């Protein structure tokens, strides 16, 4: 080794390897040269210098007496999924043979050195030296080498040229003490077998005929690693003002949040799968069905198990829903029921196949036409403090209860006692279930026209709520009670028996155009760009049932900025103010926002589950994901949710 000199020559060097003086590779651990190695790494390597823990080997490469490069090796990574799958070892084999792997954690050619093909030449030279020096120092030979390459900085050309095998990417974690921290910069993984028969030495196979877990089943520490992975949907971070300094807080919040629902799950595997599913729904994965979520956070061995967790595994959905309701109530319930609304809506997801539960040709609101789809009925809740979805049920078209569909019902695990119900009948049952919880006081019940145009449904809910029911523009009403009489007998034919309405009804669209309908501009909410206003009008009208007058209610008209008109009926008392009714129209909107968030952020429409239980469990976890976002917003933004028009 050359004589130690802390002052090295930094004169630029150009040319080829053959033009250099004889190249020598020297171990500098525990020599006078080691401080220089440390200092050069600190000043010139993009990762800097950190004291290496465990087994290590430091090299300085000289050309003559002049240092040209510094290379570092250390113990192999404890957890590295793509490497472990490549090797194919068991947990026990890994524990025994991991010391026979080494990691090339530093490779630095000094900035003033620009010599063609020097990197690949030095890599080969140091690998050769390492095999001898490592065995001499630690008493056992090496079987395989590994390294990480940052793809944002390097292309891995040197390693590929040296016949290193590119395996894939890391998950983006670094070890800190006994735990792992997500740093957000996944690296490419390369390995180099020093012994072509290394698997024979270990006693493993790369592709075992019956795959088994490459590690113990994920525990809470593994869940924290998964939760720390910074692959959150970017809009979640942006809309909640979450910075790089605060993003790590989300991981612990997510694990603690899901742990609150543990009483509904039977064992640790179910709690793990539930937490992983929740993280996947909140991630930026392009597809948020079970398989891509399991592959992203676990491995191929867990895909079917997670699918079973969502389809036929035994766990208590009702208990999970009860815990969820208690948590929602604690977040947004208000004592002022006049300013709270239970909301109803249906939502459809187009489906290409015919075997998924409830699929049929029916009206699809998302496409605006009759198409092959699934349709669900949803119940939401709105207060000035926020909004959430509370419950849902899949609508089963009547054709699914015919004998021709017997096999499909059994294949989809449809409950044997389930009978056909219309959407309003499903909604009535769901609303009753919400009322029975006593968690969600609400004076108002808001709904779209699917329910608002159903007289039987309105009659059923009227004793319990002031309904705000969207209706179609051709709904028939009278502005005053019409005259009704029994027509006079004209002396021929049968005598008249039925009553006739003498005054013809009019459509609500014509009422909106009537010159005596008075429009008022009201403020609906405070938006980010100022007050949100709308033109509204209302009139007392008599609704038509079967062509006859039925009862007097409010007709509420609302004109959007683009000129579109919305129509609604309400049984609210006659003394109810116009402002309260305008606010009621705003409270009905958040269920649409829930659908937008659910489909845009957390994969509400991206499930690939065909069964009855699979559909409902997916929706329940979508609800949990939305509640987590609500709690995150309260924690980070610390303000309520403004309703938009």
């Amino acid at each position: 080794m050359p004589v130690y000199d802390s002052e090295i020559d930094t004169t630029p060097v150009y040319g080829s390897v053959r033009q250099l003086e004889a190249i020598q590779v020297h171990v500098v651990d525990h020599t006078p040269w080691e401080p220089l190695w440390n200092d050069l790494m600190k000043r010139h390597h993009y990762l800097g210098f950190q004291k290496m823990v465990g087994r290590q080997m430091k090299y300085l490469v000289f050309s003559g007496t002049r240092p040209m490069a510094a290379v570092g090796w250390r113990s192999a990574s404890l957890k590295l999924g793509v490497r472990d799958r490549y090797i194919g070892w068991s947990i026990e084999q890994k524990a025994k043979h991991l010391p026979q792997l080494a990691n090339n954690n530093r490779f630095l050619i000094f900035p003033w050195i620009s010599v063609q093909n020097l990197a690949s030449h030095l890599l080969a030279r140091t690998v050769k030296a390492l095999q001898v020096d490592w065995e001499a120092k630690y008493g056992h030979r090496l079987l395989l080498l590994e390294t990480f390459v940052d793809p944002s900085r390097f292309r891995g050309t040197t390693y590929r040229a040296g016949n290193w095998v590119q395996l894939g990417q890391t998950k983006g974690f670094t070890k800190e003490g006994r735990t792992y921290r997500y740093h957000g910069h996944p690296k490419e993984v390369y390995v180099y077998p020093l012994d072509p028969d290394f698997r024979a030495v270990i006693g493993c196979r790369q592709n075992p005929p019956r795959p088994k877990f490459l590690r113990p089943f994920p525990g809470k520490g593994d869940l924290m690693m998964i939760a720390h992975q910074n692959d959150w949907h970017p809009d979640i971070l942006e809309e909640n003002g979450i910075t790089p300094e605060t993003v790590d807080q989300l991981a612990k919040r997510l694990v603690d949040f899901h742990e609150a629902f543990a009483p509904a799950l039977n064992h640790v595997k179910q709690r793990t799968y539930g937490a992983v599913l929740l993280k996947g729904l909140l991630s930026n994965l392009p597809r948020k069905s079970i398989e891509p979520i399991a592959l992203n956070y676990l491995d191929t061995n867990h895909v079917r198990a997670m699918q079973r967790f969502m389809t036929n595994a035994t766990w208590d959905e009702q208990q999970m829903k009860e815990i969820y309701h208690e948590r929602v109530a604690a977040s947004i319930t208000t004592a002022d029921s006049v300013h709270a609304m239970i909301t109803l809506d249906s939502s459809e997801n187009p489906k290409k196949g015919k075997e998924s539960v409830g699929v049929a040709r029916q009206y699809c609101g998302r496409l605006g036409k009759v198409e092959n789809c699934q349709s669900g009925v949803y119940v939401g809740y709105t207060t000035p403090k926020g909004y959430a979805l509370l419950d849902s049920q899949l609508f089963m078209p009547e054709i699914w209860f015919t004998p021709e569909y017997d096999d499909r019902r059994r294949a989809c695990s449809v409950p044997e006692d389930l009978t056909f119900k219309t959407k309003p009948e499903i909604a009535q049952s769901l609303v009753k279930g919400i009322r029975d919880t006593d968690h969600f006081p609400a004076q108002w019940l808001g709904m779209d026209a699917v329910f608002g145009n159903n007289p039987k449904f309105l009659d059923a809910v009227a004793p319990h709520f002031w309904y705000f029911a969207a209706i179609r523009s051709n709904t028939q009403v009278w502005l005053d009670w019409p005259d009704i009489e029994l027509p006079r007998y004209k002396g021929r034919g049968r005598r008249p028996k039925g009553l006739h309405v003498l005054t013809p009804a009019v459509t609500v669209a014509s009422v909106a155009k009537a010159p005596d309908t008075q429009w008022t501009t009201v403020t609906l909410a405070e938006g980010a760009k100022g007050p949100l206003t709308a033109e509204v009008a209302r009139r007392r009208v008599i609704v038509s049932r079967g062509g006859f007058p039925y009862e007097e209610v409010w007709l509420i008209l609302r004109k959007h900025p683009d000129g579109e008109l919305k129509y609604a009926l309400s049984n609210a008392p006659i003394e109810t103010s116009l402002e309260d009714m305008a606010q009621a129209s705003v409270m009905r909107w958040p269920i649409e926002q829930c659908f937008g968030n659910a489909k845009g952020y957390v994969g509400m429409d991206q499930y690939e589950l065909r069964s009855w239980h699979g559909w409902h469990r997916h929706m329940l976890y979508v609800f949990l994901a939305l509640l987590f976002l609500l709690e995150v917003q309260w924690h980070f933004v610390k303000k309520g949710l403004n309703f938009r028009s």
Side-chain angles (χ1 to χ4, degrees), residues 441-514:
Q443 183 66 72
W444 292 93
L445 177 67
M447 66 198 77
D448 72 354
V450 170
F451 311 98
N453 277 98
N454 188 285
K456 186 177 180 181
F457 176 74
L458 294 181
D459 289 345
V461 300
H464 309 288
F465 299 97
W466 298 346
Y467 61 71
F468 191 96
I471 56 174
R472 300 183 182 94
S473 60
N474 61 354
T475 301
Q476 301 279 311
V477 297
W478 288 272
L479 297 178
D480 297 295
W481 283 95
D483 293 327
I484 302 175
E485 69 173 14
L486 181 68
R488 288 188 306 164
Y489 179 59
K490 297 181 180 180
R492 299 191 304 272
R494 295 181 179 180
R495 290 183 177 275
K497 294 182 179 181
L499 296 174
H500 281 204
V501 179
L502 299 181
T503 309
V506 297
T507 65
V508 292
S510 65
V511 175
K513 297 176 182 177

Side-chain angles (χ1 to χ4, degrees), residues 522-576:
V522 298
T523 298
L524 302 176
E526 292 297 327
K529 298 181 180 179
L532 299 173
T533 62
E535 287 189 79
V536 297
R538 65 174 181 168
R539 299 191 68 163
R540 295 294 287 180
V541 298
I542 294 87
V543 294
S544 173
R545 295 279 179 87
F548 285 86
Y550 181 72
E551 65 176 342
E552 185 177 270
V553 295
W554 283 109
L555 168 66
I556 304 97
L557 308 168
R558 179 177 168 187
K559 189 181 296 183
H560 284 225
D562 60 2
E564 181 187 9
L565 283 168
K566 295 290 185 180
Y567 312 88
L569 296 178
S570 178
N571 65 334
I574 193 169
E575 63 269 17
T576 306

Side-chain angles (χ1 to χ4, degrees), residues 14-81:
Y14 301 96
S16 65
V17 174
R18 285 182 291 183
Q19 294 174 313
L20 297 176
E21 291 187 52
I23 292 178
Q24 309 162 52
V25 177
H26 293 289
V27 177
V28 297
D29 300 71
H30 308 297
T31 73
W33 288 95
E34 186 173 13
L36 179 63
W37 189 100
N38 298 342
D39 184 62
L40 288 169
M41 284 294 173
K42 181 179 180 180
R43 285 190 287 145
H44 300 297
H45 197 282
Y46 79 100
L47 292 176
F49 167 72
Q50 294 177 333
K51 185 177 180 180
M52 290 190 285
V53 179
R55 301 178 180 188
Q56 57 187 278
M57 195 73 69
K58 297 177 181 178
Y59 289 104
L60 275 177
V61 180
F62 295 84
S63 175
T65 59
R66 185 175 182 184
M68 306 287 283
V71 183
W73 299 84
R74 61 169 174 78
S75 301
S77 301
L78 178 62
K79 294 187 176 184
L80 188 55

Side-chain angles (χ1 to χ4, degrees), residues 136 143 170 306 323 377 536 632:
L143 298 176
T170 67
M306 277 194 71
I323 298 171
V377 178
V536 297
V632 165

Side-chain angles (χ1 to χ4, degrees), residues 280 283-289 292-293 351 605-608:
S283 74
N284 61 359
L285 287 174
R287 192 74 186 166
K288 298 180 181 180
S289 58
I293 290 175
K351 285 287 180 180
D605 55 346
Q606 295 179 8
Y607 55 89
E608 294 177 353

Side-chain angles (χ1 to χ4, degrees), residues 29 37-38 41 45-59 70-77 101-108 123 126-127 130 134 145-150 154 159 164 174 187-188 190:
D29 300 71
W37 189 100
N38 298 342
M41 284 294 173
H45 197 282
Y46 79 100
L47 292 176
F49 167 72
Q50 294 177 333
K51 185 177 180 180
M52 290 190 285
V53 179
R55 301 178 180 188
Q56 57 187 278
M57 195 73 69
K58 297 177 181 178
Y59 289 104
V71 183
W73 299 84
R74 61 169 174 78
S75 301
S77 301
L101 275 63
N103 181 289
N104 178 208
N105 69 320
R106 292 292 188 272
F107 192 159
L108 172 66
L123 180 62
T126 55
V127 166
L130 179 70
W134 193 276
L145 306 177
E146 68 183 29
T147 194
F148 306 136
V149 174
D150 187 341
F154 309 105
Y159 293 98
W164 287 58
T174 185
K187 306 290 183 17
E188 295 291 340
Y190 290 81

